[in-house]
Amino acid sequence: MGNTSALGANEEAVRRVAAWIRDSRQTVVLTGSGMSTESGIPDFRSQGGLWARVDPRRVATVEALEANYPEVRDFCRKRIEEIKRNRPHRGHEILAGWEHDGRVRAVATQNIGGFHQIAGSRTVHELHGSLRRFHCRECGRPAAEEEFLDGRPCRHCRGRLRPDVVMFGELLPVDVWDAVVAAMHAADLVLVIGTSLEVYPVNQLPALSQGRRVLINLEPTDQQALFDEVLLGKAGEVLSAIDREM
Ligand SMILES: [Zn+2]
């Protein structure tokens, strides 16, 4: 069973994690929706999250792309506007800085807004794809955001355009998944940030590492035993506290 520390209550734990990051040669980060909500992006699954107001079957399934295409586009447009209205926070910047300093090897994320890249992270594995890229369902060629939002067909084959996000009923992108599995196997330290690890199969990833595992999250998880340290708090604040100790 790992230790659970409310930030402030346990500066010792923050120092310990900072030392682990300093000593690590292969730190891999896994981020979830909590990382984005601190930037003002509503999450999908929580109580009061987007899926409490919008039926995902109408806007986020392969079937919806067929049957409710205008509604899917409208839903995506709102999400894209949210992303554009908001910015990465200090936590994103710290992770990017650690990568730049050679401390973080890769960031795997369930978030689709591209904030890690905007903040400067270079090796980002987007497990659920990205709402900043689009392609044709038929021929797979890339398309522009405006083309998708305007409801235009593919320039090449007249097929229907869609965002590069993983819809319900779709598998995670195999190349991304394989890269994250390899990164986890190689990791001697895994930082899980902003997720309670409720969603399969992503929740299986941290256990692949033989190294230390740290959870930074607002709430505890029922997978607490998986972690050597649990720091409860906002990602931006906890990462800032760790960064000050580095
Ligand atoms: Zn096409």
Side-chain angles (χ1 to χ4, degrees):
M1 185 72 186
N3 300 312
T4 299
S5 322
L7 190 60
N10 201 339
E11 288 164 24
E12 190 52 43
V14 168
R15 273 196 289 275
R16 198 153 46 230
V17 172
W20 290 347
I21 295 170
R22 269 198 312 269
D23 295 344
S24 145
R25 280 169 298 114
Q26 289 272 358
T27 295
V28 173
V29 178
L30 173 64
T31 65
S33 60
M35 195 76 189
S36 289
T37 51
E38 284 175 40
S39 276
I41 306 294
D43 77 342
F44 290 91
R45 293 172 191 271
S46 72
Q47 227 178 2
L50 271 173
W51 297 147
R53 287 179 277 141
V54 183
D55 183 352
R57 282 168 301 185
R58 291 196 62 84
V59 294
T61 60
V62 186
E63 293 75 24
L65 275 174
E66 295 282 353
N68 294 324
Y69 191 57
E71 204 176 332
V72 172
R73 279 205 334 266
D74 195 47
F75 181 75
C76 289
R77 184 193 318 277
K78 291 192 181 115
R79 307 285 80 78
I80 291 165
E81 284 167 1
E82 275 163 6
I83 291 166
K84 289 181 173 174
R85 267 202 310 273
N86 290 291
R87 299 274 314 142
H89 56 73
R90 183 75 190 119
H92 292 101
E93 289 165 5
I94 287 169
L95 293 177
W98 289 350
E99 182 184 0
H100 185 260
D101 296 343
R103 292 189 163 126
V104 160
R105 200 48 76 101
V107 175
T109 185
Q110 298 173 269
N111 300 326
I112 56 176
F115 282 9
H116 286 296
Q117 293 94 323
I118 296 171
S121 288
R122 282 164 301 191
T123 305
V124 181
H125 303 298
E126 295 178 305
L127 286 156
H128 291 171
S130 171
L131 198 49
R132 312 302 295 123
R133 295 188 302 270
F134 305 84
H135 69 274
C136 169
R137 286 184 65 189
E138 307 303 325
C139 71
R141 287 188 179 94
E145 178 184 293
E146 312 81 70
E147 292 175 303
F148 167 71
L149 290 179
D150 292 349
R152 278 180 262 160
C154 173
R155 268 173 286 131
H156 307 282
C157 76
R158 313 293 298 164
R160 212 171 247 194
L161 304 180
R162 59 164 289 176
D164 282 13
V165 293
V166 177
M167 301 255 179
F168 285 99
E170 291 183 311
L171 297 174
L172 304 193
V174 175
D175 52 339
V176 178
W177 177 258
D178 288 349
V180 176
V181 166
M184 288 290 170
H185 277 300
D188 57 11
L189 177 63
V190 177
L191 307 179
V192 177
I193 306 173
T195 169
S196 305
L197 291 177
E198 278 155 4
V199 180
Y200 181 89
V202 170
N203 60 7
Q204 306 297 302
L205 288 168
L208 297 178
S209 167
Q210 300 299 308
R212 290 196 173 103
R213 306 182 201 103
V214 175
L215 176 70
I216 298 169
N217 198 37
L218 271 180
E219 303 134 15
T221 165
D222 54 15
Q223 300 197 44
Q224 208 95 335
L226 194 60
F227 294 97
D228 299 282
E229 196 69 67
V230 176
L231 295 167
L232 297 181
K234 289 186 164 187
E237 290 171 11
V238 176
L239 289 170
S240 295
I242 295 169
D243 194 52
R244 282 193 294 272
E245 293 292 333
M246 303 276 287

